[in-house]
């Protein structure tokens, strides 16, 4: 009789967390940080209990294979709602579908080559050596509702929406963005300076078309606002100093407070 332990499927602590490949281009890491940093406040509002997970180059295991890595895809960025950010007090080494059951809401791939890998629709029945196309995996196996293919070299993003079990290429709205309705945000290209580089970055906007800022950008705006207020106060004080003591008293201002 087979023991229960022999039938137990592996979890994220037992599966490989890397296939040994390198990050393919410099821009992938800051791009992931930009997406995560700027969406944080939105997700905290949607999930005040912090029950959500963001993965960056984290393997999503969707089938059990030998070797195990053949049964995983590692998107450059993905987001899963309604799951705990950690498991048993530990960070996730991978995202294992047969343990979690909830598919990512959105998966984003950053193209380094010609984009054929991200658009590969090869099913298991046709794949050589157990290889399956990424597009097929996200559409037919994991069933991710939104799949984005971002090409920095072309300054463009394609977003596919799962409709009736098949991906349909979305159309941009009047602002040139793709609405991600369940998150209440839009996704698009922003030409600007980030992490010491002027590039067409992939970014979020709110449903009204306002750019979602990073923590650093919000801090800069707050410092600028504080500086404007300080200069306003200084100009007011300088004007008040030109008034006589009698005029200041008439305004209810103690002249000594201006010294």
């Amino acid at each position: 009789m087979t023991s229960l332990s022999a039938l137990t499927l592996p979890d994220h602590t037992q599966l490989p967390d890397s296939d040994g490949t390198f990050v393919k281009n410099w821009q992938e890491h800051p791009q992931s940080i930009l997406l995560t940093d700027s969406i944080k406040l939105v997700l905290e509002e949607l999930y005040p209990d912090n029950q959500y997970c963001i993965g960056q180059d984290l393997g999503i295991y969707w089938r059990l294979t030998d070797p195990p890595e053949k049964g995983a895809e590692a998107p450059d960025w993905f987001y899963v709602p309604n799951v705990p950010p950690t498991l048993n007090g530990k960070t996730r080494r991978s995202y294992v579908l047969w343990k979690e059951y909830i598919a990512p809401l959105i998966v984003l791939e950053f193209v380094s080559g010609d984009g054929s890998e991200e658009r590969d629709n090869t099913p298991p029945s046709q794949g050589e050596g157990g290889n399956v196309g990424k597009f097929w995996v996200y559409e037919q196996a994991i069933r991710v509702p939104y799949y984005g293919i971002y090409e920095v070299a072309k300054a463009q993003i394609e977003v596919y929406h799962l409709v009736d079990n098949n991906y349909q290429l979305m159309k941009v709205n009047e602002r040139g963005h793709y609405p991600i309705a369940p998150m209440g945000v839009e996704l698009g290209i922003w030409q600007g300076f980030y992490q010491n580089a002027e590039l067409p970055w992939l970014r979020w906007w709110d449903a009204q078309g306002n750019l979602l800022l990073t923590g650093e950008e919000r801090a800069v705006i707050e410092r600028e606002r504080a500086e404007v207020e300080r200069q306003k106060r200084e100009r007011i004080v300088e004007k008040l100093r030109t008034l006589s003591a009698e005029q200041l008293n008439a305004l209810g201002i103690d002249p000594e407070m201006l010294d």
Side-chain angles (χ1 to χ4, degrees):
M1 180 176 179
T2 304
S3 66
L4 181 61
S5 60
L7 296 174
T8 302
L9 294 171
D11 64 15
H12 75 113
T13 65
Q14 299 163 310
L15 292 163
D17 58 1
S18 173
D19 62 359
T21 60
F22 293 101
V23 174
K24 296 177 182 177
N25 66 66
W26 164 88
Q27 195 250 353
E28 287 186 7
H29 184 59
Q31 176 62 80
S32 292
I33 295 173
L34 176 57
L35 288 168
T36 300
D37 190 3
S38 57
I39 199 67
K40 184 179 178 182
L41 292 182
V42 170
L43 297 183
E44 287 178 351
E45 186 173 341
L46 286 174
Y47 302 98
D49 57 358
N50 292 320
Q51 294 299 291
Y52 68 88
C53 172
I54 288 176
Q56 299 172 169
D57 286 319
L58 188 74
I60 301 175
Y61 279 89
W62 59 278
R63 63 174 177 170
L64 197 56
T65 58
D66 184 19
E69 298 93 318
K70 287 285 188 179
E73 288 293 344
D76 293 302
W77 195 95
F78 67 90
Y79 152 70
V80 191
N82 299 310
V83 296
T86 59
L87 296 175
N88 299 319
K90 298 180 180 180
T91 58
R92 299 170 185 272
R93 295 182 55 193
S94 57
Y95 189 78
V96 185
L97 278 177
W98 57 77
K99 294 290 184 179
E100 306 276 2
Y101 305 111
I102 299 177
L105 176 71
I106 183 169
V107 159
L108 300 173
E109 291 282 5
F110 310 153
V111 173
S112 296
D114 60 4
S116 58
E117 179 182 349
E118 290 74 18
R119 298 179 177 89
D120 188 350
N121 200 25
T122 304
S125 59
Q126 299 176 18
E128 296 182 4
N131 293 322
V132 186
K134 278 189 177 182
F135 195 99
W136 187 93
V137 171
Y138 295 143
E139 178 189 47
Q140 297 297 323
I142 304 178
R143 298 190 181 278
V144 180
Y146 294 90
Y147 174 37
I149 302 174
Y150 164 58
E151 298 187 73
V152 63
K154 296 181 180 179
Q156 72 176 28
I157 170 79
E158 291 176 10
V159 179
Y160 295 85
H161 185 204
L162 193 65
V163 180
D164 296 329
N165 299 319
N166 289 284
Y167 275 148
Q168 293 186 5
L169 182 62
M170 295 180 66
K171 295 182 179 180
V172 296
N173 62 14
E174 67 277 7
R175 290 183 284 271
H177 303 156
Y178 295 95
I180 311 299
M183 299 171 70
V185 298
E186 299 175 355
L187 188 64
I189 299 297
W190 173 81
Q191 182 70 37
F193 194 81
Y194 178 73
Q195 293 282 326
N196 203 35
E198 172 79 22
L199 288 170
W201 298 94
L202 184 60
R203 295 200 63 166
W204 307 105
W205 284 259
D206 66 19
Q208 288 71 48
N210 301 303
L211 183 67
L212 298 184
L213 304 180
T214 65
E216 183 179 355
E217 288 170 334
R218 293 193 299 272
V220 168
I221 290 175
E222 188 55 39
R223 287 197 297 270
E224 291 175 348
R225 184 182 294 115
E227 178 61 19
V228 169
E229 291 300 319
R230 185 188 66 79
Q231 292 178 4
K232 278 184 181 180
R233 289 194 298 270
E234 285 188 353
R235 288 195 295 270
I236 291 172
V237 169
E238 288 302 316
K239 287 182 179 180
L240 290 174
R241 282 174 178 162
T242 64
L243 301 179
S244 66
E246 289 78 9
Q247 290 173 315
L248 290 172
N249 286 326
L251 293 172
I253 300 173
D254 184 353
E256 294 183 359
M257 297 295 294
L258 299 180
D259 295 333

